Amino acid sequence: MRPVGYERPADVRSAVGVLSRPGARALAGGTNLVDLMKVGVEAPEVLVDVNGLGLDAVEALPDGGLRIGAGVRNSDLAADVLVRTRYPVLARALLSGASGQLRNMASVGGNLLQRTRCPYFMDATKPCNKREPGTGCPARTGISRGLAVLGASEHCIATHPGDMAVALTALGAVVRFEGPDGPGELPMPGFHRLPGDAPQRDTELPPGAVITAVDVPGLPYGPVSTYRKARERASFAFALVSVAAALDVADGQVRDVRLALGSVAHAPWRARRAEEALRGRSATAASFREAADAELEGAEPTTDNAYKVPLARRLLVGTLLELAGSGR
Ligand SMILES: Cc1cc2nc3c(=O)[nH]c(=O)nc-3n(C[C@H](O)[C@H](O)[C@H](O)COP(=O)(O)OP(=O)(O)OC[C@H]3O[C@@H](n4cnc5c(N)ncnc54)[C@H](O)[C@@H]3O)c2cc1C
Ligand code: SF4
């Protein structure tokens, strides 16, 4: 048995102080961290409980947006009336994740920082560049069914497995944190990293930092937004591919659009090429198909996960058709 320390700081600065020590890890709901400790992937020396830091409010911002505390539970956020009315895409993404019991424990900060579900990463007996840099990436020639088709590197083809972050990426959210050098902000996309030659780093969050909140900017057409998730079971399953979308259509033309794809890359994938291809175009199935093709032309799938490319295309087109109010 390995002893693990436990601290429950009373404020954010004290939490950053303890978290800056080697071997310290923040503990929120524990639904990912404790699972990884059980299988030997994580072995913290001290757990820093961030549940007493008062980070559990959802507040309206003057620009029509929201500030969401990092400690807000996924269930509470999905049920929040401001989230449901201003950003249905976020409420739906949250409700599509995990199970009711898990959503009751899972926090906003912990959900953003959940680790990949790559089977080699989760198996401490296997080599993996994300767990131990330089040991190799067996997924490249092994099991890669759930892994990345966009933005991968020779060092890692893992995906960010979460749903909430895909909606937040489409909405252009900003992650606020307190680090050893003071407060800071990271926009989404930009918070999660592509693997490059340092796949051990999932995000740009400085070591020792505590996520304090996520700001979601006001979006006038946010109410016309949704989240679709393709998965192997109707519930309690991670996405094979997901789409977060918000669409502004006037007189049959796309005035503006926000799109992000989930479970296709190491980071939630803002589909900017598709967005650019759509602005000013007619809101028809043909335009939506062309936009999806523009986004996915750079895909580099493995044999195992080649299905993700046509799946993402169909999911993107179907979601846009739904938002455009077309049944075709
Ligand atoms: C069976 C199962 C199915 C699941 N299905 C889905 C799914 O379909 N979709 C989905 O999105 N997720 C899914 N999840 C993942 C689940 O959503 C995450 O485990 C959860 O969101 C993590 O939140 P937490 O508060 O429990 O984080 P923890 O486990 O407490 O922490 C996770 C990480 O975040 C760090 N951390 C937490 N809070 C902070 C903070 N404020 N500042 C800095 N660091 C912090 C921790 O140190 C740790 O590294 C599933 C999980 C399980 C077990
Ligand atoms: S894809 Fe990434 S997480 Fe999976 S084995 Fe390769 S390096 Fe490890």
Side-chain angles (χ1 to χ4, degrees), residues 116 118 120-121 127-130 136-139 147 155-158 199:
T116 184
C118 171
Y120 302 99
F121 174 79
C128 165
N129 284 332
K130 185 177 273 300
C137 176
L147 302 185
H155 302 287
C156 181
I157 56 169

Side-chain angles (χ1 to χ4, degrees), residues 141-206:
T141 50
I143 301 164
S144 56
R145 191 173 145 65
L147 302 185
V149 296
L150 289 165
S153 78
E154 60 178 295
H155 302 287
C156 181
I157 56 169
T159 51
H160 171 82
D163 296 296
M164 180 190 74
V166 185
L168 291 174
T169 296
L171 294 170
V174 174
V175 179
R176 296 164 63 87
F177 64 85
E178 182 80 21
D181 298 328
E185 295 183 352
L186 285 163
M188 295 178 72
F191 176 75
H192 294 96
R193 297 181 68 254
L194 292 180
D197 58 6
Q200 70 275 18
R201 290 177 49 218
D202 291 345
T203 71
E204 299 291 353
L205 194 67

Side-chain angles (χ1 to χ4, degrees), residues 5 13 35 49 55 79 96 105 111 137 145 150 163 186 188 221 227 232 239 241 244 268 289 323:
R13 268 318 315 156
D35 273 5
D49 191 331
L55 304 174
S96 76
M105 289 301 290
N111 196 292
C137 176
R145 191 173 145 65
L150 289 165
D163 296 296
L186 285 163
M188 295 178 72
Y221 59 94
Y227 186 75
E232 280 170 338
V241 174
R289 280 196 287 267
L323 288 179

Side-chain angles (χ1 to χ4, degrees), residues 139-142 144-145 148-149 157 300-308:
R140 278 223 151 264
T141 50
S144 56
R145 191 173 145 65
V149 296
I157 56 169
E300 290 184 310
T302 64
T303 313
D304 262 11
N305 69 15
Y307 74 93
K308 283 196 176 190

